[in-house]
Amino acid sequence: MEDVIVTENLTKIYIQDFLTFEHGRPRLNLRRETKRRAALLDLNLQVKRGEIFGLLGPNGAGKTTAIKILMGIHFPTRGSATILDRPLGDKAAKAQIGYLPENPYFYDYLTGGEFLDYYGRLYGMDKARRRRKIPELLETVGLSHAASTPLRGYSKGMLQRVGIAQALLNDPQIVVLDEPQSGLDPIGRKEVRDLILSLREQGRTVFFSSHILQDAEMICDRVAILHLGKLVNVGALEQLLTARIREFEIVASGLPGEVIEGIEKTARRTLRRTNDVLFVIEDRAAADAALERIRACGGTLDSFTPRKETLEDLFLSHVGRGTREAA
Amino acid sequence: MSKVLAIAQNTFKEAIRNRVMYVILVFAIFIILSGIVVKDLTIAAHSQVIRTIGLAAISAVSIALALLLGIGLVYTELDKRTIYTIVSKPIDRWQFLLGKYLGLLLTLYLIVAVMTAVFLTESWLLNRQIQDYHFNAAMLRCIKAIGLGCLELAVIVAFALLFSSFSSPVLSGFMTLMVWIAGRLNEDIERFAEKLVTDMSGTPETAQSFLGGLQFILGSESGGAGDALKYLFAKVAVLVFPNFEIFNGRDEAIHFDTLNEIHLQMIVVNGWDAVIYAVPYTVAVLLVAMALFGRRNFR
């Protein structure tokens, strides 16, 4: 399949202000090493036509920086990139891209309809096409009722949806979404997920960044994991995640104390809850033995779940458990 | 060009949906109309008082609005990150800046037009009472003064846009204000440089040449390094800052019927000279703004 986005050694190094504040304390950045902060280091990526590509990583990993460079918002310190075989900033390539930034904020004095009309004009769409496309898109994102409402009256979810609408105005070949599910409730997240899947069905390429790994795992064809500005892994999900079973989760109830203590010795983790006990066991033989003991003592086996490696496991193996909260 | 127009129209919409602008406009109209009362409190000719207050109000309010709206013109887009979705569209950064510039200028010209309409109506109603012999000539000169003011606005907004494209609103407001003040004092600074030379028995012609004046001061017995520095500073300031006095048609419009021909010639501004001065100046400032803006990383 054809590569639609290619980056070669894409690097961004920011020159920090000479005075910055960390945890309220002033810090002087006078030395060369403290003045320069690498946000992205030698990123080499290829995104193929028609796939959903997820750029994953904890906060500060360089995801947004990479997207900003691709969108012409930042200039790379070194390295290069092409979109649809054209260099960065090329207007013909931009005309084929739809982009939604993280936590978007738009002109709050415009109504939803006016806002999309303005952006349609920036894409060079003629009046007839705008008149046809805008109501259609507002319908798609469920904002037909709010077309005449100023954006200052929109909720965060509505702003995200009108942001998605502006990214689809030009029927783009490539849709770039920066943290599209950030700050959305579970319904909003599902809607975004469904929308991304429907874009792929229409043959579009979706390149998005996220730190919501479950969602990424559900929809991505390929992912890249960034950490501290460096690419640590990239590939198709089925290649990255091993098919082997990592551990077994056993939930049982009505167990005597000595049985619980016995199984606990072979378990990686035991969680005593009000009505049942959860055992997480890595070894298959130990799991079999635990099941035997539950049956033998007359306890009830509520569930038995073999767990395969997840994207979260892979992610944590690369970026470390210490950054889990940050992610 | 249609994309530039779209940005200009959006800038215009943003301004006209800003309530602060209407408060300032109402205030300006109130000041213009206050001439009706103030004229009776002075011994000057009534029509002259009306012209003084009207033209001053139009000039002051339009410049205040240019500063107020101009300094946040680009910064707001950066601060609220609306610029992200703009530059990712198939437009050039210079088109964005040009659109913002034209949008604000259009807004200011509309405000000036409203204030001018109020001022002309007020003057016409008053003239029905006092039957000023010079009324038509006065009004033509007032319109010329307001037109020159519009050229001044074009230069000021270009500076506001330049500063706004790389600094915060407070800093860009301060810098634009300083440019405006220095621009209004430009001819005085020039006269100061001349005076330094003539005080040392030189001629005003010596001061016309930059190096000639400097050599004269350094060669003069009474001149010293301090005077040379003052001269240098004044001459550089005259070169760097725009001369906003070239857009001052107010003196002519107010005093033309009370001055003799010689004095009148001293204050008359040639409209074409002002156009020839304003257009390249504005284009140059905008080009610098575009060059700076084109290389920026938007945080």
Side-chain angles (χ1 to χ4, degrees):
Chain A
M1 245 189 304
E2 175 200 356
D3 291 333
V4 288
I5 300 176
V6 178
T7 70
E8 282 176 11
N9 301 320
L10 208 58
T11 300
K12 182 69 190 175
I13 294 166
Y14 291 113
I15 308 294
Q16 300 204 97
D17 292 338
F18 75 93
L19 178 67
T20 52
F21 289 87
E22 277 179 16
H23 309 295
R25 289 184 180 175
R27 183 184 141 167
L28 280 174
N29 304 305
L30 298 175
R31 286 182 306 157
R32 186 181 161 83
E33 54 270 30
T34 53
K35 242 180 120 178
R36 294 158 67 86
R37 185 177 65 82
L40 195 65
L41 279 169
D42 297 316
L43 178 69
N44 290 296
L45 273 186
Q46 292 84 37
V47 179
K48 298 184 188 310
R49 184 180 289 279
E51 71 175 354
I52 299 176
F53 191 99
L55 196 57
L56 312 177
N59 293 341
K63 307 183 296 287
T64 298
T65 302
I67 289 178
K68 281 182 180 173
I69 293 173
L70 292 173
M71 294 299 101
I73 297 162
H74 283 190
F75 295 103
T77 308
R78 62 168 188 267
S80 63
T82 57
I83 298 177
L84 296 166
D85 290 327
R86 289 172 182 272
L88 289 179
D90 184 276
K91 284 202 278 184
K94 281 181 174 181
Q96 297 301 326
I97 300 171
Y99 164 58
L100 172 71
E102 185 181 6
N103 298 324
Y105 182 91
F106 301 115
Y107 304 92
D108 58 9
Y109 52 86
L110 295 179
T111 66
E114 284 175 334
F115 165 67
L116 291 178
D117 189 68
Y118 173 38
Y119 274 27
R121 290 176 72 186
L122 296 184
Y123 273 120
M125 293 163 70
D126 61 40
K127 201 170 186 175
R129 194 171 157 214
R130 295 200 306 271
R131 277 194 175 165
R132 181 177 51 78
K133 191 76 188 171
I134 291 167
E136 192 184 301
L137 272 173
L138 285 169
E139 179 74 39
T140 307
V141 297
L143 287 175
S144 296
H145 64 286
S148 307
T149 308
L151 296 184
R152 69 168 68 93
Y154 277 36
S155 67
K156 189 178 167 83
M158 288 164 85
L159 276 178
Q160 191 81 348
R161 280 186 277 161
V162 84
I164 289 171
Q166 63 82 30
L168 302 177
L169 260 174
N170 55 331
D171 292 319
Q173 290 185 40
I174 303 170
V175 181
V176 179
L177 309 169
D178 192 1
E179 301 279 1
Q181 290 145 319
S182 168
L184 294 183
D185 60 20
I187 300 168
R189 277 168 53 187
K190 185 184 178 305
E191 281 173 358
V192 170
R193 227 162 44 214
D194 292 345
L195 183 92
I196 292 174
L197 289 170
S198 76
L199 290 172
R200 181 177 59 183
E201 279 167 22
Q202 293 161 20
R204 303 183 210 277
T205 307
V206 182
F207 180 76
F208 80 103
S209 74
S210 183
H211 60 248
I212 302 173
L213 302 174
Q214 295 88 339
D215 288 342
E217 190 171 356
M218 266 188 251
I219 57 176
C220 285
D221 296 306
R222 291 199 308 140
V223 296
I225 298 175
L226 285 178
H227 184 46
L228 299 174
K230 290 179 186 160
L231 181 69
V232 290
N233 211 336
V234 61
L237 268 182
E238 63 269 19
Q239 288 171 349
L240 295 179
L241 305 179
T242 54
R244 73 178 178 82
I245 292 163
R246 283 172 55 92
E247 59 196 16
F248 301 89
E249 285 181 1
I250 300 170
V251 179
S253 53
L255 302 180
E258 65 271 17
V259 174
I260 296 174
E261 282 160 17
I263 300 174
E264 197 172 11
K265 286 175 189 161
T266 61
R268 182 169 68 77
R269 192 156 66 94
T270 304
L271 189 63
R272 291 164 200 256
R273 299 187 292 212
T274 315
N275 299 321
D276 56 22
V277 187
L278 165 75
F279 301 104
V280 179
I281 301 170
E282 287 174 340
D283 182 56
R284 180 181 286 272
D288 285 341
L291 291 176
E292 282 295 319
R293 294 184 78 167
I294 290 165
R295 281 191 205 103
C297 74
T300 307
L301 177 68
D302 295 324
S303 72
F304 176 76
T305 316
R307 275 195 64 221
K308 289 182 181 174
E309 185 176 36
T310 64
L311 188 56
E312 185 174 75
D313 298 322
L314 179 76
F315 183 82
L316 289 175
S317 72
H318 284 299
V319 304
R321 289 182 182 275
T323 55
R324 186 173 184 172
E325 283 73 31
Chain B
M1 196 61 198
S2 65
K3 292 173 186 175
V4 173
L5 209 63
I7 293 166
Q9 280 181 3
N10 186 49
T11 309
F12 179 72
K13 264 185 202 168
E14 181 178 6
I16 62 165
R17 291 180 187 182
N18 186 345
R19 285 177 197 156
V20 176
M21 203 192 75
Y22 291 98
V23 174
I24 293 173
L25 187 61
V26 168
F27 176 69
I29 291 171
F30 176 76
I31 292 183
I32 293 168
L33 295 177
S34 72
I36 297 169
V37 180
V38 175
K39 72 176 175 26
D40 295 328
L41 306 176
T42 70
I43 54 165
H46 287 177
S47 59
Q48 211 173 34
V49 175
I50 295 282
R51 292 203 295 270
T52 307
I53 293 176
L55 292 178
I58 292 170
S59 172
V61 169
S62 58
I63 285 164
L65 274 174
L67 282 171
L68 195 73
L69 299 174
I71 55 176
L73 201 59
V74 175
Y75 183 83
T76 316
E77 300 258 5
L78 301 180
D79 189 44
K80 299 195 167 172
R81 299 184 193 172
T82 42
I83 192 80
Y84 287 7
T85 42
I86 300 282
V87 296
S88 62
K89 303 278 181 287
I91 67 162
D92 289 313
R93 289 186 179 195
W94 67 262
Q95 288 178 307
F96 170 75
L97 269 198
L98 186 61
K100 296 295 284 183
Y101 175 76
L102 294 176
L104 180 56
L105 212 55
L106 180 73
T107 313
L108 291 172
Y109 285 176
L110 183 78
I111 294 165
V112 169
V114 171
M115 291 191 291
T116 305
V118 172
F119 167 66
L120 292 179
T121 311
E122 178 200 23
S123 302
W124 180 74
L125 288 172
L126 185 80
N127 191 53
R128 289 175 65 184
Q129 294 172 12
I130 58 175
Q131 296 293 324
D132 184 1
Y133 175 71
H134 299 290
F135 179 72
N136 289 341
M139 287 303 104
L140 280 175
R141 283 183 161 84
C142 285
I143 290 168
K144 178 188 164 188
I146 293 166
L148 288 168
C150 286
L151 288 174
E152 185 180 19
L153 282 179
V155 181
I156 292 171
V157 173
F159 271 104
L161 189 78
L162 168 67
F163 297 136
S164 169
S165 64
F166 66 82
S167 64
S168 69
V170 174
L171 196 58
S172 60
F174 177 74
M175 289 192 285
T176 312
L177 190 66
M178 287 302 110
V179 166
W180 179 69
I181 291 171
R184 281 274 171 113
L185 296 176
N186 195 293
E187 289 184 357
D188 291 328
I189 300 171
E190 175 99 65
R191 275 194 284 275
F192 169 73
E194 274 178 25
K195 193 171 181 302
L196 276 173
V197 174
T198 51
D199 281 355
M200 293 166 203
S201 315
T203 62
E205 286 71 33
T206 318
Q208 295 295 313
S209 152
F210 184 77
L211 282 175
L214 199 62
Q215 278 172 351
F216 177 82
I217 291 173
L218 290 171
S220 166
E221 281 180 17
S222 56
D227 292 320
L229 206 64
K230 282 182 208 165
Y231 179 82
L232 201 68
F233 181 77
K235 278 290 184 186
V236 169
V238 166
L239 275 178
V240 170
F241 294 110
N243 178 9
F244 284 140
E245 274 305 301
I246 209 166
F247 306 118
N248 183 1
R250 292 176 299 280
D251 292 343
E252 178 193 344
I254 294 163
H255 302 293
F256 81 100
D257 50 353
T258 53
L259 292 178
N260 63 35
E261 196 59 31
I262 297 164
H263 285 120
L264 189 61
Q265 282 311 312
M266 289 170 73
I267 57 167
V268 165
V269 175
N270 185 325
W272 289 114
D273 283 352
V275 172
I276 290 165
Y277 185 83
V279 174
Y281 211 107
T282 304
V283 170
V285 175
L286 285 179
L287 286 176
V288 174
M290 286 166 185
L292 291 174
F293 194 69
R295 299 146 75 100
R296 264 196 83 167
N297 287 312
F298 302 123
R299 292 277 167 102

